[in-house]
Amino acid sequence: MLSRRSVTFILLMVVVGLNLRPALSSVAPLLTRLQEAAGLSPAAAGVLTTLPVLFLGLAAPVAPLLAKRLGSERALSAALLLLAAGLILRGLPLPGVLFIGSAMAGAAIGISGTLLPALVKRELPESADLLTGLYTMALCLGGALGAGFSVPLTVWLGSWQASLMSWSLLALFALILWQWQMPSTSSHGMPQPPSSGLLKLLRKPLTWQVMLFMGIQSSMAYIVFGWLPTLLVDRGYDEASAGWTMAISIMCQLVSALGAPWLARMGSDQRPALLLVLFSTALGLWLLLIAPLAWKWPGAILLGLGQGGSFSLALSLLVLRTATSRLAGQLSGLVQGGGYTIAAIGPFSVGLLLQSGVHADQIAWLLISLVGVCCGFALLAGRTRQLDDQSGKLLVHRY
């Protein structure tokens, strides 16, 4: 039976999770309009889609430092405030603020996304992997809302600027709720080991295996967030239809985000589950971007199931591969920091490819090849291994 504190924390986790994707997914359906209205080249649009992912990666390692100084709870409050400010700023009629606000939002998401897995490990350690699935489901729902309502909000509110700014209301609501009901603890929640401890973690192959899996699958996700509607428009979709196709795909992530951790518990390790969701991602990309248009809905569903499961399992690895919340926080900062920095290369590269005249089906084959590379790291990161709480030593652990 869950305690009142646990139930409150789970609800807060879901509300915060809803805020960590609309800043990214709300731009993609408007990207063609932004290129026309703001005169952005495909390369500049690539920078716009890359900035939040890049700053997400750069800010993630800062999260444990903020948690040590402010406490994990107050650090998360600061991140939500930064997110709301970035979302408001990017819609103001001032030069450069679209890029600056996007970078601020990405940094806020990086800090929040690093703090939450460690808080989950602290609050409910026995169910951390399953709660990570619920948290991922909230992320996916937020992403779907951003993709699906971006164009309608532009119509209802009269401008794309107002549409982008409107997501700050959700961030402010989460901030107020978190401040009112946030869990309290006498400790700062994520104490820091000596810098030598971080170096020991970085010397462990498991850290890099999880990081590279996180980075490649995240790159795929942010390419979809940033460019899928544009690639679909290139195939003949109208702007609204492309946005809703992306939204349906993200909605399908809800199922696998919640179900993948349960599936992973059925075997001796996570490798079969990881390979299954990666295969679904590759098949979904092929159906959406290469196969005849009649296959778009099966493609959207399979892509969503694959990407939701991939991300949920990637976050689950952060808690499954560590023995304590302290190590979960450290591994989360390292893996998400490095992984999202790697992931930022993807959206920018797609912008360059589009500017050079590469077609959607050719980009799809490149992405499918990248999924194949990700399978190799999944086979390594999915093995039943765990970092201990002393020196980053590997332990074999049966769940």
Side-chain angles (χ1 to χ4, degrees), residues 19-31:
N19 281 273
L20 303 188
R21 287 299 176 267
L24 306 168
S25 62
S26 61
V27 173
L30 299 174
L31 203 53

Side-chain angles (χ1 to χ4, degrees), residues 16-184:
V16 173
L18 286 172
N19 281 273
L20 303 188
R21 287 299 176 267
L24 306 168
S25 62
S26 61
V27 173
L30 299 174
L31 203 53
T32 302
R33 188 176 305 208
L34 286 174
Q35 288 179 258
E36 295 172 355
L40 299 179
S41 67
V47 171
L48 181 61
T49 59
T50 297
L51 267 179
V53 186
L54 176 61
F55 275 81
L56 195 158
L58 294 175
V62 177
L65 301 176
L66 289 175
K68 180 184 179 182
R69 181 171 293 273
L70 303 176
S72 297
E73 297 82 4
R74 291 190 180 90
L76 188 54
S77 294
L80 288 171
L81 182 60
L82 179 64
L83 176 61
L87 293 173
I88 293 171
L89 184 63
R90 69 178 184 171
L92 296 178
L94 298 170
V97 295
L98 180 61
F99 293 89
I100 296 170
S102 296
M104 289 171 60
I109 293 168
I111 294 169
S112 302
T114 303
L115 292 170
L116 276 172
L119 284 168
V120 168
K121 184 83 172 183
R122 187 193 76 188
E123 294 293 320
L124 292 157
E126 297 302 319
S127 304
D129 56 335
L130 300 181
L131 282 181
T132 299
L134 181 62
Y135 161 60
T136 309
M137 189 180 74
L139 293 178
C140 297
L141 179 57
L145 293 174
F149 284 97
S150 186
V151 173
L153 282 172
T154 300
V155 175
W156 298 335
L157 299 176
S159 70
W160 60 264
Q161 292 96 334
S163 175
L164 293 180
M165 293 174 71
S166 65
W167 296 103
S168 64
L169 297 176
L170 185 60
L172 290 171
F173 171 73
L175 174 61
I176 293 169
L177 200 62
W178 180 262
Q179 280 288 106
W180 178 40
Q181 289 288 340
M182 67 180 179
S184 59

